[in-house]
Each structure stands twice: as structure tokens, then as C-alpha cells.
Amino acid sequence: GNAEEAALLVLVGAFDLVRSDLVDAERLGHRALDYCTAALGSAHPYADRAKALLGVVLIYKGDSAGARVIFEPVVPRAERGLPVGRVR
């Protein structure tokens, strides 16, 4: 389904990030975000996860200002969305 495909894109992007492959992590982050925006809506939790992936990529690239722009709207939704420790 749509949500599962979006989650997979973000997960693979996160693994690329762990492997220090910023190019692929960023590419998959954008792909996941585009997919989520079209299929699920820009405020869907998986869209926020894709945004967070892109924010972390920017931090690793030294662009903390760009990351802040991404994280500022995402963090409040994350705080409201799930109890601490729950990942789904």
C-alpha cells in the first residue's frame, strides 16, 4: 500500500545515511517526500519522516540553518503524534 511504500523509501534512505551515503540518502528522502506528498499528503507522519531524513542529511552536510527550516514545523507534530518510545 501507499504508506508501506513511503515507509520503505524512508527506511532505505536512513540506512544510506548510516552508511554515510549522503547522496543516496538525500535522493531517497526527496523521492519519499514527493511520494508522500502526492499519495498521503504533506502532513502525513511518513512525509514528516522523509522531511526529518532530509534535515539530518543537511546537518551532516553542514547546513544547520537549512535543517532548522525543515525541523521547525515537523517537531511539534511529532511531539503531538506519538507517545514517547512508540515508533508506529
Side-chain angles (χ1 to χ4, degrees):
N2 291 340
E4 292 82 11
E5 291 173 34
L8 183 59
L9 288 171
V10 173
L11 183 62
V12 173
F15 277 112
D16 286 337
L17 190 64
V18 169
R19 294 184 311 111
S20 299
D21 187 345
L22 298 181
V23 172
D24 275 348
E26 186 171 27
R27 180 182 60 79
L28 284 173
H30 282 292
R31 188 172 161 201
L33 183 56
D34 290 346
Y35 183 86
C36 288
T37 301
L40 305 170
S42 63
H44 190 277
Y46 288 132
D48 282 347
R49 290 177 188 182
K51 292 172 195 171
L53 172 61
L54 292 169
V56 173
V57 168
L58 289 177
I59 288 171
Y60 284 178
K61 290 172 116 179
D63 184 1
S64 58
R68 185 180 309 274
V69 169
I70 291 173
F71 284 129
E72 282 183 352
V74 171
V75 169
R77 286 195 298 270
E79 290 174 333
R80 289 190 307 268
L82 294 173
V84 175
R86 186 165 170 213
V87 296
R88 243 176 159 224

